[in-house]
Amino acid sequence: MRGEATFPSYRFSGRDAPSQTLAACDRVLESGKLLPEQTLRRAHVMRARAAAKLELGDAAGALADIDAAQEAGKAYAGDFFYDRSMGVSLDLLRALALNETGERKAALALAEAAAAKRTYALEVQRVAGMLRAANGDKPADPTIWQGLARIDPATRGIFSQLASQSGDLAELAASAGTPSVAMPEAPSLKAIMTNGGNIAPLLSEWSAPVRGAMTKAYALAAHGQPAAARAWVEATRAALDAARPAGNSQGEAGKQAPKDIVTLLVEMARAEHFKPLADLVDARIAIAEGRLADAAAALQGKQLRATPVTEEFHAAYAAARSASALSAPDLPPLGPAAKRGPARLSGMADDLLIRPESQRKLIDYEKSRPNILGALVGAAFSMGTTLLGGIDRTAGFRSTPNDDGSIKVEYTGNTTSGPVVQEMTLLRAAELAREAGKSHFHVVGRNDYQRYLTQTMNGVPMNRTLTGYKTELTIRLLGEGEADALDAVAVIDALGPVYYES
């Protein structure tokens, strides 16, 4: 009722979790213990019930509960901190429900507005981006996807996968940047067993960076940049080679996945995405160089589906053949495009239960810098050039230089708002960049954790209560011009007014 999530051990996960949440919310509302003045607690319960109904497929019921939650919290509407937490949460839940009922324009408008309010909150950007993709329309503005790619390395392949027409490939080529392909970490045995031993979700995760990088390579090849295209191909090949473990064992202390499973994931990503697209990149370069026979030979014996990439290839080949005086063989016809219906995104509802924030509660960043006011006074003469000079802001955070030149930045917060911890970690990373005289930084690795207090009886865990979050970022400090890099000053400008209370 106060927003902290408590999970009885026997209900912590499973397919019936939404039903249990629904029943728990009903008990709270029917108990009579909610006082009339406890409006925010009522909003909490109504929102949790709406999320559970969404996961159970009851979009109409979810919309009714979202209306009730907004009515309960109307006294807080217009407050900056409430609007960026509970308000954004309710708006995105409503967008998910509207998407389910076919009201997609309204869903898209809510998603765009929510994403603009929390530019650096992972769950907000992720859900907003997925809503746009599920609409099946080419986004008028790709900044939501690009914003997500800047803060979450695991999703960098998404924007390239959205290419729906040749014009998208041109935009993708223009924004490709320096080749950088980050493969996921080796999955744990728990991650595999959570899916009943099914590695399909893991394969999708491992394929995404390969597919994204190789689509960029093709886009570059299609738009007159063969050297850059080949550089992306080689970077992807190297990433796959590095991800494949040496030898074959059952993992360390039973925690990591067996190495043969990791090898399988790598080889499936190589066979299903890298090799076919690498062949298309070579063939597309051959078209540009007038080697039509070589281009056709690369596709012989292959049955390719109609995709934006293969359709662009066929169109380019046909145009080159009609302009050439030499004869060229026919290409094998394309198979039908994969049919995709509107995606059901309601399963993401549980990720949107953002803890309401207030100025009083956003004090962790100030506590991490106990001498900030004195340091500012001491640095008064330097404030014309920088707000960072002479201020020690490392207390409460940990930043560790790595051997490869990157920096690991982490923050553990005793707050039950995940986005707050995520934003404060990014803010600290931006400070480190400016302190080093760099204008940008690149997030090359990311891990987000939840922290719990576990109660046991006779050594048996009975329930777990969420007590805080932790975010770890691995960053590289850069100058301008790198793809997916974050502008350090822009991060400070956006988040500084929220967290620099002094």
Side-chain angles (χ1 to χ4, degrees):
M1 292 170 64
R2 291 190 294 271
E4 295 87 352
T6 301
F7 307 102
S9 59
Y10 52 87
R11 294 182 183 172
F12 178 64
S13 62
R15 295 181 180 179
D16 60 342
S19 298
Q20 293 168 350
T21 298
L22 188 61
C25 292
D26 288 342
R27 287 195 299 272
V28 170
L29 295 169
E30 294 166 3
S31 68
K33 293 182 179 180
L34 272 176
L35 302 178
E37 62 270 21
Q38 291 177 321
T39 55
L40 192 54
R41 294 191 184 189
R42 182 174 297 276
H44 270 296
V45 176
M46 301 306 299
R47 179 180 64 163
R49 193 167 76 168
K53 287 181 177 179
L54 264 174
E55 292 184 88
L56 293 169
D58 182 8
L63 285 168
D65 281 346
I66 292 167
D67 289 340
Q70 288 187 315
E71 176 65 22
K74 65 180 180 181
Y76 301 90
D79 176 82
F80 172 79
F81 293 99
Y82 179 86
D83 287 348
R84 75 191 297 268
S85 53
M86 192 77 165
V88 164
S89 170
L90 289 170
D91 284 347
L92 279 177
L93 285 171
R94 185 182 297 279
L96 288 175
L98 292 173
N99 190 66
E100 290 288 312
T101 60
E103 299 178 63
R104 296 183 178 175
K105 287 187 177 180
L108 181 59
L110 285 170
E112 289 177 337
K117 287 182 180 179
R118 296 301 289 260
T119 309
Y120 302 109
L122 185 60
E123 291 83 359
V124 172
Q125 293 298 316
R126 191 177 283 163
V127 174
M130 291 302 295
L131 275 164
R132 298 183 74 175
N135 284 349
D137 304 320
K138 180 183 183 298
D141 180 0
T143 53
I144 287 183
W145 284 114
Q146 292 174 343
L148 179 61
R150 291 187 181 105
I151 63 175
D152 185 13
T155 57
R156 281 192 183 133
I158 288 180
F159 182 57
S160 61
Q161 295 167 36
L162 291 182
S164 59
Q165 50 192 334
S166 59
D168 297 338
L169 292 174
E171 186 176 354
L172 190 59
S175 63
T178 304
S180 176
V181 185
M183 299 298 294
E185 294 183 0
S188 65
L189 284 174
K190 180 180 178 181
I192 297 174
M193 297 312 297
T194 298
N195 296 301
N198 179 16
I199 67 168
L202 293 173
L203 178 60
S204 177
E205 179 185 356
W206 280 64
S207 298
V210 176
R211 188 166 59 248
M214 293 304 295
T215 306
K216 287 182 180 179
Y218 183 87
L220 290 163
H223 290 85
Q225 301 181 61
R230 290 190 175 105
W232 272 96
V233 171
E234 291 310 311
T236 310
R237 191 194 313 276
L240 284 166
D241 290 343
R244 180 170 183 168
N248 185 27
S249 73
Q250 293 302 305
E252 179 182 350
K255 295 181 180 180
Q256 294 180 343
K259 291 184 178 179
D260 53 355
I261 292 181
V262 177
T263 300
L264 178 62
L265 291 170
V266 170
E267 291 310 311
M268 290 180 73
R270 190 192 305 273
E272 294 184 15
H273 301 289
F274 174 75
K275 185 62 168 62
L277 282 168
D279 290 343
L280 278 172
V281 168
D282 287 340
R284 188 61 180 84
I285 293 173
I287 292 176
E289 294 175 350
R291 297 182 288 108
L292 298 187
D294 291 341
L299 269 65
Q300 292 304 317
K302 298 179 181 177
Q303 179 62 62
L304 299 177
R305 282 187 176 275
T307 68
V309 166
T310 57
E311 288 174 349
E312 195 283 338
F313 182 88
H314 271 245
Y317 184 87
R321 186 167 68 166
S322 32
S324 174
L326 302 175
S327 63
D330 292 332
L331 295 179
L334 293 175
K339 293 183 179 180
R340 294 195 311 169
R344 278 199 87 238
L345 304 178
S346 55
M348 305 180 77
D350 194 48
D351 295 332
L352 293 173
L353 302 183
I354 302 171
R355 168 79 180 219
E357 299 166 9
S358 67
Q359 188 170 13
R360 178 177 59 83
K361 293 177 181 177
L362 297 184
I363 58 175
D364 287 24
Y365 207 93
E366 289 293 308
K367 283 184 176 179
S368 75
R369 300 176 289 132
N371 197 33
I372 176 69
L373 190 57
L376 280 171
V377 172
F381 293 103
S382 70
M383 289 183 66
T385 57
T386 176
L387 286 173
L388 304 175
I391 302 174
D392 180 9
R393 294 176 175 167
T394 57
F397 293 87
R398 179 176 296 174
S399 55
T400 308
N402 296 321
D403 292 339
D404 63 358
S406 63
I407 302 172
K408 181 180 179 181
V409 186
E410 55 186 290
Y411 178 70
T412 302
N414 296 320
T415 171
T416 48
S417 175
V420 166
V421 172
Q422 295 166 12
E423 288 174 341
M424 290 198 295
T425 312
L426 276 167
L427 180 55
R428 178 60 189 148
E431 290 179 345
L432 289 172
R434 295 303 297 137
E435 288 168 3
K438 299 294 185 179
S439 61
H440 290 69
F441 64 98
H442 188 231
V443 178
V444 297
R446 176 179 190 131
N447 291 298
D448 296 277
Y449 303 94
Q450 293 176 331
R451 301 167 59 235
Y452 297 94
L453 174 67
T454 302
Q455 293 180 322
T456 63
M457 179 181 293
N458 298 324
V460 178
M462 299 303 294
N463 61 59
R464 300 198 300 167
T465 300
L466 184 65
T467 61
Y469 290 83
K470 177 181 179 180
T471 292
E472 294 178 351
L473 301 177
T474 301
I475 64 171
R476 291 189 184 278
L477 307 184
L478 306 167
E480 296 184 20
E482 294 290 336
D484 298 326
L486 283 160
D487 185 320
V489 172
V491 173
I492 293 172
D493 284 346
L495 300 179
V498 180
Y499 295 105
Y500 294 164
E501 187 174 5
S502 294

